[in-house]
Structure formats: structure tokens, C-alpha cells
Amino acid sequence: MGSDIEGESRKDARERQQTNADLDRVTDYVGEERELDAEKFRQSMNVILDTKTKDKTKEAREKELAVVVVKEEDIALVASEMEIETKVAERVLREHQGDVVAALRSLIHA
């Protein structure tokens, strides 16, 4: 009878060890999953923040360009000489502060 009790206690001990090992694996997996989720969250937030920053920068640049005064005759000249649309010619002129020569040079070297 003593050996039966000893055999059962060994069996119980093995089962407890197996249960503990299984539990450790599950908790390790959940821990890893949470770490991955946290990293994905950080990456997503960085993308969102970068996008917002780029959007704000782009908006600021558009406001700067909108203030630049360009002559209609300069737009027509650049558009006809470079055979581009007037919107593109206007944009390039605005980017070069209305300087026709600089705008033409940038279009030639583009």
C-alpha cells in the first residue's frame, strides 16, 4: 500500500509539473503577443504622427506658395516655352519666388 501512495504522489507530482509547464508556455505566449501588439501599436502611432506632420508641413508649404505673386505673362511664357500646362508653370514659378529664369532652369534640369 505504501508503494501505491508513493506511486500516486509521483504521478501527481509529474502532472503538476506538466500543468505548470503548460501554464508557463501559455503565459509566455500571451506575454509575447502583448509585446508584439504593443510594438505594432507604437509603429502605427508613429505612422499616424509622421503622416500628420507631413500633412502640416505640406499645408504650410502650400500657404507659403500661395503668397508668392506671379505674373500671368510669366506663367504664359514658361508654359509656352516648356510646353507644359499653365498650372504646372504657375507652381514652378511660385516655388522659385516668381523668378522666370530659375523656374526655366529647374524645368530644363528636371
Side-chain angles (χ1 to χ4, degrees):
M1 194 114 171
S3 66
D4 286 338
I5 295 172
E6 194 175 294
E8 286 180 26
S9 65
R10 286 183 187 169
K11 184 178 177 183
D12 288 342
R14 274 187 266 136
E15 286 178 4
R16 270 188 257 129
Q17 285 178 340
Q18 184 62 40
T19 302
N20 287 337
D22 292 342
L23 184 60
D24 284 343
R25 276 190 237 118
V26 169
T27 56
D28 286 347
Y29 176 74
V30 171
E32 288 174 10
E33 190 173 278
R34 284 187 181 162
E35 287 175 14
L36 290 175
D37 288 346
E39 183 60 31
K40 285 180 184 177
F41 176 75
R42 273 190 233 103
Q43 289 173 351
S44 298
M45 288 304 295
N46 286 338
V47 168
I48 291 169
L49 293 173
D50 287 347
T51 302
K52 284 185 177 183
T53 303
K54 288 177 185 177
D55 289 346
K56 286 182 181 180
T57 304
K58 186 176 179 180
E59 287 176 20
R61 178 69 175 150
E62 291 301 321
K63 286 180 182 179
E64 287 175 11
L65 293 178
V67 175
V68 176
V69 178
V70 288
K71 298 176 188 172
E72 288 296 322
E73 58 203 32
D74 291 343
I75 295 171
L77 174 70
V78 172
S80 67
E81 289 297 318
M82 300 307 293
E83 298 179 354
I84 57 175
E85 294 181 22
T86 56
K87 289 182 179 182
V88 175
E90 181 179 0
R91 173 71 183 209
V92 172
L93 278 165
R94 287 186 187 280
E95 289 173 350
H96 291 88
Q97 309 304 314
D99 184 351
V100 176
V101 176
L104 290 170
R105 282 185 180 151
S106 73
L107 288 168
I108 290 170
H109 297 292

